[in-house]
């Protein structure tokens, strides 16, 4: 049990939460410098014999830029000249305005997840550390069997010295939230807390 800062060195299993404001710029692009700092620190912990899990946000922001870029690439010269571009019929994010917010965020998450994980993998590879991607939803915490499966998979990865990169699977869950102690949560802070509990993390 961690009681004060001096006890941090005693922690064996550590969950790092990297929020959207940390891994992304205000424009939605990946913040390479801050991501690199997280990777460097996590790599040092692994080399010191710690087991590290990272709960990361940022896929939606990365995906939003990808979708807007794709919308621009799909325009023809005639569309631009005649002002019939999809962007002229959409909101500021380049997505048709009749799409609801949940569907839009799910599409952004699907488009951005691969790019975000690729960045992490490339950065960790500089320290000869292997990563894995684990996408979770609230459904994965609804039964003892599914919770045991999550625990088993993550434990096996940690035992091999692999750093699991966890995120909510927004592409299918539409960020519907988590149930914990009778309350509903819908962000990666809550996911990090659940993972910490399930994996008996000390920090």
């Amino acid at each position: 049990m961690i009681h004060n800062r001096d006890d941090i060195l005693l922690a064996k299993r550590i969950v790092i939460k990297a929020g959207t404001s940390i891994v992304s710029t205000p424009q939605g692009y990946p913040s390479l410098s801050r991501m690199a700092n997280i990777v460097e620190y996590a790599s040092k912990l692994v080399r010191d014999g710690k087991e590290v899990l990272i709960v990361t946000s940022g896929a939606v922001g990365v995906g939003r830029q990808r979708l807007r870029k794709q919308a621009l690439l799909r325009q023809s010269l005639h569309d631009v000249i005649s002002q019939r571009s999809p962007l002229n019929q959409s909101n500021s994010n380049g997505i048709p305005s009749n799409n609801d917010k949940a569907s839009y965020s799910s599409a952004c998450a699907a488009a951005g997840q691969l790019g975000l994980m690729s960045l992490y993998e490339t950065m960790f590879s500089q320290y000869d550390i292997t990563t894995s991607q684990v996408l979770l939803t609230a459904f994965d915490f609804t039964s003892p069997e599914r919770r045991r499966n999550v625990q088993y998979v993550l434990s096996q990865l940690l035992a091999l010295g692999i750093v699991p990169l966890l995120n909510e699977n927004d592409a299918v869950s539409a960020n519907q939230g988590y149930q914990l102690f009778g309350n509903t949560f819908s962000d990666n802070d809550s996911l990090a807390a659940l993972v910490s509990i399930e994996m008996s993390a000390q920090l």
Side-chain angles (χ1 to χ4, degrees), residues 55-73:
V55 177
T56 181
S57 303
V60 172
V62 173
R64 184 178 293 114
Q65 294 299 326
R66 287 194 168 195
L67 290 184
R68 181 162 180 79
K69 179 181 178 181
Q70 188 63 26
L72 289 169
L73 291 174

Side-chain angles (χ1 to χ4, degrees), residues 76-146:
S76 68
L77 179 60
H78 183 267
D79 287 332
V80 175
I81 294 174
S82 64
Q83 296 186 342
R84 289 199 311 230
S85 161
L87 291 178
N88 292 326
Q89 306 169 22
S90 64
N91 58 30
S92 61
N93 294 308
I95 304 300
S97 56
N98 60 353
N99 280 32
D100 60 54
K101 184 178 179 180
S103 296
Y104 170 53
S105 294
S106 295
C108 289
Q113 194 67 238
L114 180 62
L116 181 67
M117 292 300 115
S118 295
L119 281 174
Y120 273 116
E121 182 178 31
T122 299
M123 290 181 178
F124 271 107
S125 69
Q126 304 307 306
Y127 298 93
D128 294 324
I129 292 176
T130 301
T131 59
S132 65
Q133 181 184 27
V134 180
L135 296 177
L136 299 169
T137 67
F139 186 63
D140 296 311
F141 298 94
T142 57
S143 73
E145 181 180 2
R146 295 188 69 86

